[in-house]
Amino acid sequence: MPLGAEGFSLIELPPVTTELLATYDELPVDPYMGHGTRYKKFSQYRLTASADGGWSFGLLPHRDYTAFKKFNPVGGGMRRTYPPLDADFTPLIAVGAREIGLDRNEDWQINVHQNRSRAERGRPGPLTPEGVHHDGHEFVMIGVLRREGVTGGETRLWNPGDEKPFWNGTLEPGRAVLLDDRRIAHDVTDIVATGERPGHRDIFIVAFSRWSEKWYGDEHDAAALDDEN
């Protein structure tokens, strides 16, 4: 069973460069989620198993991001236009793919989200405005790279239908959680500034789907935009 008996795993990430962290300072405001507290870029890749036991990453032509409303009632059912990534997260993603144990007999498609959430005194930063949710993909990786001047941001994992999470914890920089997204749901509590100055939490999110399930392209976008759930 992927990711152990409970459907999730916590992993350590390899060190990242100051240049990668600096790209978070250049993210534009996300006009769709977070009410001005979120900053975002987004890209998509096709993963193919390579002869060395790893994965090759093929950057896909840039598209708007579309999600189903049944998974995201706040940001689903619409086209969301984000600029493509400047940062290279593929070494971090390769670690997650290895730890998940992706099926190497198939190609995979991934959505990669680079997010900064900001909080200031009297104005918390919502991390999951959609609430407890599944993303709809087979696996999800959430990696935290930096937390500055904030508290909160507690990750919570839920079995569907339960009234309480079965696991909760705060991911510190350099750690990631891997999720069996079809089995368990998740949310993250708001971040709160710890002082007079604004603070932020910098993360990346990777959603893994089998290429054969067509989570990329016109057919997927049309279905997501027609979703009324």
Side-chain angles (χ1 to χ4, degrees):
M1 181 177 296
L3 307 182
E6 293 184 305
F8 82 102
S9 180
L10 299 173
I11 65 170
E12 300 291 331
L13 296 170
V16 298
T17 65
T18 56
E19 289 78 12
L20 186 148
L21 292 176
T23 64
Y24 281 88
D25 297 329
E26 302 169 357
L27 296 179
V29 171
D30 182 341
Y32 310 98
M33 302 282 284
H35 300 291
T37 66
R38 180 177 293 182
Y39 303 77
K40 185 179 184 72
K41 289 185 178 181
F42 165 77
S43 288
Q44 297 170 293
Y45 295 81
R46 182 170 182 165
L47 275 59
T48 302
S50 54
D52 62 2
W55 294 88
S56 64
F57 290 76
L59 181 64
L60 294 167
H62 193 63
R63 302 178 66 90
D64 291 342
Y65 176 54
T66 58
F68 290 87
K69 289 187 71 175
K70 61 185 175 183
F71 299 121
N72 188 334
V74 178
M78 67 175 78
R79 291 189 180 274
R80 288 189 266 166
T81 301
Y82 299 113
L85 299 174
D86 296 312
D88 180 12
F89 290 95
T90 59
L92 304 177
I93 298 167
V95 173
R98 182 189 68 220
E99 294 300 321
I100 290 170
L102 292 183
D103 184 351
R104 297 178 57 79
N105 294 313
E106 294 195 51
D107 284 6
W108 292 75
Q109 187 266 317
I110 59 171
N111 295 335
V112 185
H113 307 261
Q114 181 184 17
N115 292 353
R116 166 174 285 183
S117 293
R118 185 175 185 267
E120 56 189 67
R121 188 173 178 84
R123 190 185 185 197
L127 301 186
T128 48
E130 63 271 43
V132 179
H133 66 285
H134 301 268
D135 289 330
H137 303 271
E138 191 158 347
F139 303 108
V140 171
M141 175 182 189
I142 304 169
V144 177
L145 299 185
R146 188 161 50 182
R147 290 173 56 100
E148 291 190 357
V150 296
T151 188
E154 182 182 62
T155 299
R156 304 187 297 187
L157 307 181
W158 306 72
N159 287 315
D162 284 359
E163 295 183 357
K164 294 181 179 180
F166 71 85
W167 184 90
N168 57 278
T170 301
L171 295 178
E172 296 299 331
R175 302 204 80 196
V177 62
L178 309 175
L179 306 174
D180 183 335
D181 184 56
R182 293 178 178 169
R183 181 178 173 193
I184 61 176
H186 65 279
D187 73 338
V188 187
T189 63
D190 296 353
I191 53 170
V192 178
T194 56
E196 296 296 328
R197 297 174 60 85
H200 56 264
R201 176 179 183 262
D202 294 344
I203 70 168
F204 67 98
I205 302 170
V206 187
F208 297 84
S209 300
R210 296 172 194 267
W211 184 261
S212 59
E213 294 185 358
K214 298 182 179 179
W215 279 80
Y216 173 86
D218 292 340
E219 184 177 340
H220 168 269
D221 291 352
L225 294 172
D226 288 342
D227 181 20
E228 297 181 356
N229 296 321

